[in-house]
Amino acid sequence: MRHDHVLTAKQFSRADIETILDRAGDFDGPTGDTRHTDSLLGLLFFEPSTRTKMSFETAIKRLGGDTIDMGSVDSSSVTKGESLADTVRVIEGYADAIVLRHPKQGAAKMASEFVDVPVVNAGDGAGHHPTQTLLDLYTIRENAGLDDLTIGIMGDLKYGRTVHSLAQALTNFETTQHFVSPESLALPPEVRYDLDEAGAAVAEHTELEGVLPDLDVLYVTRIQRERFPDENEYRAVASEYGIDLRTLEDATDDLSIMHPLPRVDEIDPAIDETPHATYFEQAHNGVPVRMALLDSLL
Amino acid sequence: MRHDHVLTAKQFSRADIETILDRAGDFDGPTGDTRHTDSLLGLLFFEPSTRTKMSFETAIKRLGGDTIDMGSVDSSSVTKGESLADTVRVIEGYADAIVLRHPKQGAAKMASEFVDVPVVNAGDGAGHHPTQTLLDLYTIRENAGLDDLTIGIMGDLKYGRTVHSLAQALTNFETTQHFVSPESLALPPEVRYDLDEAGAAVAEHTELEGVLPDLDVLYVTRIQRERFPDENEYRAVASEYGIDLRTLEDATDDLSIMHPLPRVDEIDPAIDETPHATYFEQAHNGVPVRMALLDSLL
Amino acid sequence: MRHDHVLTAKQFSRADIETILDRAGDFDGPTGDTRHTDSLLGLLFFEPSTRTKMSFETAIKRLGGDTIDMGSVDSSSVTKGESLADTVRVIEGYADAIVLRHPKQGAAKMASEFVDVPVVNAGDGAGHHPTQTLLDLYTIRENAGLDDLTIGIMGDLKYGRTVHSLAQALTNFETTQHFVSPESLALPPEVRYDLDEAGAAVAEHTELEGVLPDLDVLYVTRIQRERFPDENEYRAVASEYGIDLRTLEDATDDLSIMHPLPRVDEIDPAIDETPHATYFEQAHNGVPVRMALLDSLL
């Protein structure tokens, strides 16, 4: 049993990523290899994230293990004035690994310093969410390949943790990245700086139109209402950076459209029936990818 | 693996019902046959229904499978502005079948149109709750038989979804049905019409007294306080359509008393100790019946 | 399968305790014996107690069984005006044993009178919490032995259910008990009376200082803010009956410090790194002890 923590996508080299994605491939599909484990996975979700939680739950149960769930924080007493350090030190006596979701950036790293069992970061506020990045990479590799890839990433590029991690991870591969957003939601300078430092081929745009025909993958993210003081301004922006069948007229036949879900209005449901729609497959890929990761930790 | 959806008791023929009840018999009791499955059952309860949920959970776990639970909606993020269609399409990537409870009539049918895994309706508002009907039928068959049966159904016959489904399902058998309620809570005309169309032997009453001695089964339902603007009127009606030991003086020794539970004041606890009390057995029957159903779907 | 209920630590003789603790030893550690069971454990927590619940959940799952969880009461419908007697009579049709946590004293005993499956009391208000006592005893035995023991019990001795049960249980062994508390939170006369009746060696103190050097174990409990009308008085008391590295200067090297957790300020985190800190081990011991207990019931 190895006792590594999974805290950020940045900790993975290209070789690490490829090993995990290859293993995920083994677990993908109905005839997948399902090595059994008796391990118990502790689920500590200090804020709700149903999709991520159900995906981890499915992964460990498909592997033959089971979960120990702290439950929702409001109906929990474990946190009554108790420090996170104490909580995880109690839980490590119950579980063979801990999946931690926490609203505070750095929570997973801090927790990992207090326990001997592996801690998997399932999102720490504005920080990291490495398993989301891995499932994004897996989905891209399955649909378009990770090298010789031209990807467009559109929507809220300023606050979107998912986007920053993915962009960073893609610098491990031969990828051209086009970022499309309103100026007010453009990539933060420090993220752009890191991409440039890594030698990534990157361009920023305020319109999808010119770049769409070149894309193998279009990754759409949600623009949150809360970012805009004015409802009308929100509506205008949301509509400009959403897509429908008409938007796709200039796309290649092979374009894959991804979205971390849940979507609200960014992708018209009419697109669901086209071969472009890859977002449900992307959500489903969370299971084999998390199986591969847990399998390597337990 | 068959991919049928279970949306309403109406979809079952007499032969279907008998097949499921026979299989339930195999699973009933401590020495029951428990064919093992590795399947994961997705539990999507958009409103609380603890008894139904625990019963499904018990059924799949007794079969050797496990659950993936969305949790309660207030502590859930899966539904943040997300359509039901999107939610179930994500969940079908996790679970081998979906049990859906939803406050809106038609929700289960709608969901079934978007996914390839079986959807089991566990109650959709004023709509259907087919596994409740199946466990009622199983309980009746075990205690009195479904043919040559004389059953009384008492209480809120107007709003009681359970009652409408059961009455409809009983038309597959040689059954005489007596409906007992205050006029304000009588069977809706369209339900009565359907029963007549099906050739059922049906009579309606406002008092239990005259009909009680003829009954093999008395199915009591809860009269909800919310139906009455006036508290005193509620009390009067609730008391008239509740039963205690004195009520049962005219009953046959073999009378089985059923109730979908939870009861409030409709059945005096003194009856619990008599051989008439069948309502706890009825609740327990939810397990073998749901095992039989899930076993046929997975 | 034996059908005993576990309602209070008082029901155990010295021989019973030793049998359970010996069995717990078999389950302790990574190479532990894990006899498999297919049993389902019904978790009925009418108030939150996350730590206790996760510990029972871990125990039954490590044994190979599984749980059926009623969920939190606010998102539960099982209790809608339903009596506890009805609830447990329904659940006994699902589960092979019931773990009950309830805010009302006597709830577990009452529940046990209505069902045929074993009921384990996981805390009933000001009443009992026998598995907490067993894990405390196990931890003391592992670290200091139960005979020839000198233990100090400090903090809220008036309202602390944990303390009363533990003190009572220790009268089965050759133990000297020192109670340390402010006068306003001293041991209730009836508890003291019972200890004297049992022939226990007992002394009461208002200061730890004089007695600390004699102790093998110091059991610290939380002093609750709610007990004091005045915030300043609370702070003064909490500080006087909390411990830090300086407090421990007079302790023997072998002193074990225990605490039922969660702690707030009673034990300075600097103590965590010393060999005295036994409270996380104590929490972890809940698993093998509950495995041993469930194993004997199922």
Side-chain angles (χ1 to χ4, degrees):
Chain A
M1 201 184 290
R2 292 162 47 208
H3 277 190
D4 292 329
H5 304 294
V6 178
L7 304 177
T8 160
K10 284 183 189 167
Q11 79 187 58
F12 298 122
S13 67
R14 176 173 175 137
D16 289 337
I17 292 170
E18 286 176 337
T19 302
I20 295 169
L21 302 195
D22 287 349
R23 190 82 181 103
D26 296 340
F27 289 120
D28 204 356
T31 58
D33 164 9
T34 51
R35 201 196 76 159
H36 278 250
T37 174
D38 284 334
S39 298
L40 295 181
L41 189 63
L43 302 178
L44 271 63
F45 278 64
F46 286 83
E47 63 178 12
S49 178
T50 311
R51 197 181 306 280
T52 298
K53 188 161 143 182
M54 292 179 85
S55 178
F56 270 109
E57 205 174 335
T58 304
I60 188 69
K61 289 179 174 178
R62 294 254 181 243
L63 284 170
D66 209 331
T67 57
I68 303 292
D69 189 348
M70 189 181 72
S72 66
V73 169
D74 25 297
S75 67
S76 164
S77 68
V78 88
T79 59
K80 257 186 216 153
E82 186 178 59
S83 70
L84 178 60
D86 275 19
T87 300
V88 295
R89 276 182 289 189
V90 169
I91 305 300
E92 80 167 323
Y94 305 156
D96 301 303
I98 290 174
V99 175
L100 180 69
R101 172 85 167 204
H102 201 282
K104 290 220 182 104
Q105 191 165 359
K109 182 160 184 6
M110 195 275 268
S112 73
E113 287 158 9
F114 284 92
V115 297
D116 286 327
V117 299
V119 172
V120 179
N121 185 359
D124 58 340
H128 302 281
H129 191 3
T131 57
Q132 176 71 44
T133 303
L134 288 169
L135 76 87
D136 287 344
L137 292 172
Y138 182 80
T139 307
I140 293 168
R141 194 174 80 161
E142 290 288 298
N143 287 278
L146 283 164
D147 289 314
D148 294 317
L149 170 75
T150 301
I151 187 172
I153 303 183
M154 183 168 79
D156 176 356
L157 308 182
K158 185 172 181 185
Y159 301 99
R161 173 183 60 191
T162 300
V163 163
H164 303 164
S165 284
L166 177 60
Q168 177 67 42
L170 285 171
T171 64
N172 287 293
F173 304 89
E174 301 297 323
T175 301
T176 302
Q177 305 189 43
H178 293 282
F179 295 95
V180 183
S181 74
E183 278 183 30
S184 65
L185 293 175
L187 220 51
E190 66 276 16
V191 175
R192 174 66 197 253
Y193 177 84
D194 284 350
L195 297 177
D196 289 340
E197 281 292 290
V202 171
E204 296 184 63
H205 315 264
T206 54
E207 289 187 356
L208 179 64
E209 205 177 351
V211 74
L212 181 62
D214 297 333
L215 302 180
D216 301 309
V217 172
L218 174 60
Y219 196 110
V220 183
T221 68
R222 187 150 64 99
I223 291 180
Q224 297 190 301
R225 203 172 294 251
E226 306 89 84
R227 305 298 180 205
F228 293 86
D230 184 76
E231 175 75 15
N232 288 333
E233 195 192 337
Y234 161 72
R235 281 181 193 280
V237 167
S239 147
E240 191 179 342
Y241 295 90
I243 60 172
D244 56 21
L245 287 178
R246 220 178 31 169
T247 320
L248 296 183
E249 279 167 13
D250 293 334
T252 65
D253 287 352
D254 290 341
L255 177 72
S256 290
I257 297 173
M258 295 174 63
H259 189 293
L261 300 183
R263 66 171 158 181
V264 182
D265 297 312
E266 304 87 48
I267 301 178
D268 191 282
I271 293 177
D272 300 357
E273 307 308 316
T274 72
H276 299 301
T278 314
Y279 27 93
F280 292 119
E281 177 191 330
Q282 179 186 1
H284 300 173
N285 285 338
V287 175
V289 165
R290 290 180 174 116
M291 287 175 79
L293 194 75
L294 294 173
D295 185 49
S296 76
L297 295 174
L298 293 166
Chain B
M1 200 185 293
R2 293 162 48 210
H3 279 191
D4 292 329
H5 304 294
V6 178
L7 303 177
T8 160
K10 285 183 188 167
Q11 78 187 57
F12 299 121
S13 68
R14 176 174 175 135
D16 290 336
I17 292 170
E18 287 177 335
T19 301
I20 295 169
L21 302 194
D22 287 349
R23 190 84 181 100
D26 296 339
F27 288 121
D28 204 355
T31 58
D33 164 10
T34 51
R35 199 196 76 162
H36 278 249
T37 174
D38 284 333
S39 298
L40 296 181
L41 189 63
L43 302 178
L44 271 62
F45 279 65
F46 285 83
E47 64 178 13
S49 178
T50 310
R51 196 180 307 280
T52 299
K53 188 160 142 182
M54 291 179 86
S55 178
F56 270 109
E57 205 175 335
T58 305
I60 187 70
K61 289 179 173 178
R62 294 254 181 243
L63 284 171
D66 210 331
T67 57
I68 304 291
D69 188 348
M70 189 180 71
S72 66
V73 169
D74 26 296
S75 68
S76 164
S77 69
V78 87
T79 58
K80 258 187 216 152
E82 187 178 58
S83 70
L84 178 60
D86 275 19
T87 299
V88 295
R89 276 182 289 189
V90 169
I91 305 300
E92 80 166 323
Y94 305 157
D96 301 304
I98 290 174
V99 175
L100 180 70
R101 172 85 168 206
H102 201 282
K104 289 217 182 107
Q105 191 165 359
K109 183 163 184 1
M110 195 275 267
S112 74
E113 287 158 9
F114 283 92
V115 297
D116 287 327
V117 299
V119 172
V120 179
N121 186 359
D124 58 341
H128 302 281
H129 191 3
T131 58
Q132 176 70 45
T133 303
L134 289 169
L135 76 87
D136 287 344
L137 293 172
Y138 182 81
T139 307
I140 293 168
R141 195 174 78 161
E142 290 288 296
N143 285 279
L146 284 163
D147 289 315
D148 293 317
L149 170 75
T150 302
I151 187 172
I153 303 183
M154 181 167 80
D156 176 356
L157 309 182
K158 185 172 181 185
Y159 301 100
R161 172 183 61 188
T162 300
V163 162
H164 303 164
S165 284
L166 177 60
Q168 176 68 41
L170 286 170
T171 63
N172 287 293
F173 304 89
E174 300 298 323
T175 301
T176 303
Q177 305 188 44
H178 293 282
F179 295 94
V180 184
S181 73
E183 279 184 29
S184 65
L185 293 176
L187 221 50
E190 66 275 18
V191 175
R192 174 67 198 253
Y193 177 85
D194 285 350
L195 297 177
D196 289 340
E197 281 291 291
V202 171
E204 295 184 63
H205 315 264
T206 55
E207 290 185 357
L208 179 63
E209 206 176 351
V211 75
L212 181 62
D214 298 333
L215 301 182
D216 302 309
V217 172
L218 174 60
Y219 196 111
V220 182
T221 68
R222 188 149 65 99
I223 292 180
Q224 297 189 301
R225 203 172 294 252
E226 306 89 86
R227 305 297 181 207
F228 293 85
D230 183 76
E231 176 74 15
N232 288 333
E233 196 191 339
Y234 161 73
R235 281 178 193 282
V237 168
S239 146
E240 191 179 343
Y241 295 90
I243 60 172
D244 56 21
L245 287 178
R246 221 178 30 171
T247 320
L248 296 184
E249 279 168 12
D250 294 335
T252 66
D253 288 350
D254 291 340
L255 176 71
S256 290
I257 298 173
M258 295 173 64
H259 190 293
L261 301 182
R263 66 170 159 181
V264 182
D265 297 314
E266 305 87 48
I267 300 177
D268 190 282
I271 293 177
D272 300 357
E273 307 308 316
T274 72
H276 299 299
T278 313
Y279 26 94
F280 293 118
E281 177 190 331
Q282 180 185 1
H284 299 173
N285 285 338
V287 176
V289 166
R290 289 180 174 116
M291 287 175 79
L293 194 75
L294 293 173
D295 185 49
S296 78
L297 295 174
L298 292 167
Chain C
M1 201 184 293
R2 294 161 47 209
H3 279 191
D4 291 329
H5 303 293
V6 178
L7 303 177
T8 160
K10 284 183 190 168
Q11 79 188 56
F12 299 121
S13 68
R14 176 173 174 136
D16 289 337
I17 292 169
E18 286 176 337
T19 302
I20 295 169
L21 302 195
D22 288 348
R23 190 84 180 101
D26 297 340
F27 288 121
D28 204 354
T31 58
D33 164 9
T34 51
R35 201 196 76 162
H36 278 248
T37 173
D38 284 334
S39 298
L40 295 181
L41 189 63
L43 302 177
L44 271 63
F45 278 65
F46 285 84
E47 63 179 12
S49 178
T50 310
R51 196 180 308 278
T52 299
K53 187 160 145 182
M54 290 179 85
S55 179
F56 270 109
E57 205 175 335
T58 304
I60 187 69
K61 289 179 174 179
R62 293 254 180 242
L63 284 170
D66 210 332
T67 57
I68 303 291
D69 189 348
M70 188 182 72
S72 66
V73 168
D74 24 297
S75 67
S76 163
S77 68
V78 87
T79 58
K80 258 185 215 153
E82 186 178 57
S83 70
L84 178 60
D86 274 20
T87 300
V88 295
R89 276 182 287 189
V90 169
I91 304 299
E92 79 167 324
Y94 305 157
D96 301 303
I98 290 174
V99 175
L100 179 70
R101 171 87 168 203
H102 201 283
K104 289 217 182 107
Q105 191 165 0
K109 181 160 184 10
M110 195 275 266
S112 73
E113 285 158 10
F114 284 92
V115 297
D116 286 328
V117 299
V119 172
V120 179
N121 185 359
D124 59 340
H128 302 281
H129 190 3
T131 58
Q132 176 71 44
T133 303
L134 289 169
L135 75 88
D136 287 344
L137 293 171
Y138 183 80
T139 307
I140 293 168
R141 193 174 80 161
E142 290 288 297
N143 286 279
L146 283 162
D147 289 315
D148 292 317
L149 169 75
T150 302
I151 187 171
I153 303 184
M154 182 168 80
D156 176 357
L157 308 181
K158 185 172 181 184
Y159 300 100
R161 172 183 60 190
T162 300
V163 163
H164 303 164
S165 284
L166 177 60
Q168 177 69 42
L170 286 171
T171 64
N172 287 293
F173 303 88
E174 299 299 322
T175 301
T176 303
Q177 305 189 43
H178 294 281
F179 295 94
V180 184
S181 73
E183 278 183 31
S184 65
L185 294 176
L187 221 50
E190 67 276 16
V191 175
R192 174 66 198 253
Y193 177 84
D194 285 350
L195 297 177
D196 290 340
E197 281 292 291
V202 171
E204 296 185 62
H205 316 264
T206 55
E207 290 186 358
L208 178 63
E209 205 176 352
V211 76
L212 181 61
D214 298 332
L215 301 181
D216 302 309
V217 171
L218 174 60
Y219 196 110
V220 183
T221 67
R222 188 149 65 99
I223 292 180
Q224 297 189 301
R225 203 172 295 251
E226 307 88 87
R227 305 298 180 206
F228 295 85
D230 183 76
E231 174 76 13
N232 288 332
E233 196 191 337
Y234 162 72
R235 280 179 194 281
V237 168
S239 147
E240 191 179 343
Y241 295 89
I243 60 172
D244 55 22
L245 288 179
R246 222 178 29 170
T247 319
L248 297 184
E249 279 167 12
D250 293 333
T252 67
D253 288 351
D254 291 340
L255 176 72
S256 290
I257 298 173
M258 295 174 63
H259 189 293
L261 301 183
R263 64 171 159 181
V264 181
D265 297 313
E266 305 87 48
I267 300 178
D268 190 282
I271 293 177
D272 300 357
E273 306 309 316
T274 72
H276 300 299
T278 313
Y279 27 93
F280 293 118
E281 177 190 330
Q282 180 187 1
H284 300 173
N285 285 337
V287 176
V289 166
R290 290 180 173 115
M291 287 175 79
L293 193 75
L294 293 173
D295 185 49
S296 77
L297 295 173
L298 293 167

